[in-house]
Amino acid sequence: MSIKKIAFLILFTFIFSCSKKEDFKPTVKLDSILKNEKLKKDYAEFRFDNIYLFSGIEKKESFMKFSREASIDDLVLMTECEKPIVRCFAFKILVEKDYPKIRELLFRHKNDNEYLDVLHPPCVRMNEMVKVYMLQQLDPFSNSKRKFNRADYDKVVADFFR
């Protein structure tokens, strides 16, 4: 191999490694979130009834109850949890509560590339990235008041996957 080719490969590797996105880093452990005994009890009841994340969960009584009981501050903190399913549950509830800073939270998770199983009844189970699940909650066809229009959604998707 010539010196020019080697130098080009080194430069290309350097540029590529510098432009690599850093993955989302959770900042709290679930145990520390659940030190609040009331939240711990409400969360335990909710999770007992909802082992998986699934489409249509917002219609379940246990989801609605947990949504009523959990504070905005607790839910925002839960979006920082080390467990991806907890981040998604909390984000979904914040969308349902019409949280005004939901897009800021979404962009905080731009590099949240952890995978989790999402059930789509009656029998489909998909492995999705956390950021994909969160994006879907604000897609143009969602029921969210804070959803993106088609053009903005396409820009966000392109930005999240570049």
Side-chain angles (χ1 to χ4, degrees):
M1 222 187 234
S2 74
I3 299 285
K4 286 183 180 181
K5 286 182 180 178
I6 292 172
F8 175 76
L9 286 173
I10 291 170
L11 181 62
F12 179 76
T13 303
F14 177 74
I15 291 170
F16 181 74
S17 65
C18 288
S19 66
K20 187 178 177 185
K21 295 182 209 172
E22 189 157 325
D23 285 344
F24 172 82
K25 301 272 191 266
T27 59
V28 290
K29 299 260 184 217
L30 183 59
D31 293 347
S32 66
I33 294 170
L34 298 178
K35 284 182 181 175
N36 172 335
E37 287 300 318
K38 174 151 178 31
L39 180 64
K40 183 177 183 175
K41 179 182 176 289
D42 293 340
Y43 178 75
E45 289 175 8
F46 168 69
R47 283 305 306 272
F48 182 75
D49 194 38
N50 299 286
I51 298 167
Y52 294 103
L53 190 59
F54 61 92
S55 57
I57 194 170
E58 69 277 0
K59 295 176 183 141
K60 284 195 77 174
E61 180 56 41
S62 57
F63 179 91
M64 291 185 279
K65 181 180 185 240
F66 187 67
S67 178
R68 286 189 305 269
E69 300 294 326
S71 74
I72 294 292
D73 291 340
D74 288 336
L75 292 166
V76 169
L77 185 61
M78 290 173 107
T79 66
E80 293 291 324
C81 183
E82 90 273 18
K83 301 203 179 291
I85 195 168
V86 174
R87 296 195 298 270
C88 290
F89 279 135
F91 190 85
K92 176 70 174 173
I93 292 170
L94 288 165
V95 167
E96 294 295 314
K97 286 187 169 211
D98 194 28
Y99 179 58
K101 295 181 181 177
I102 197 69
R103 288 186 181 187
E104 291 173 32
L105 273 179
L106 173 66
F107 291 117
R108 164 91 176 98
H109 291 269
K110 176 181 177 179
N111 297 317
D112 197 339
N113 298 315
E114 275 194 81
Y115 283 88
L116 72 155
D117 286 336
V118 179
L119 301 178
H120 297 277
C123 58
V124 176
R125 185 163 106 185
M126 297 178 65
N127 199 257
E128 293 180 9
M129 281 188 271
V130 170
K131 69 181 179 185
V132 170
Y133 179 82
M134 290 180 175
L135 269 167
Q136 290 172 346
Q137 304 313 303
L138 300 175
D139 78 19
F141 303 105
S142 75
N143 294 327
S144 172
K145 294 176 185 171
R146 306 219 182 254
K147 66 185 173 187
F148 291 101
N149 65 40
R150 187 68 204 188
D152 289 341
Y153 184 74
D154 290 344
K155 288 177 190 171
V156 171
V157 168
D159 185 43
F160 272 44
F161 292 97
R162 105 168 88 126

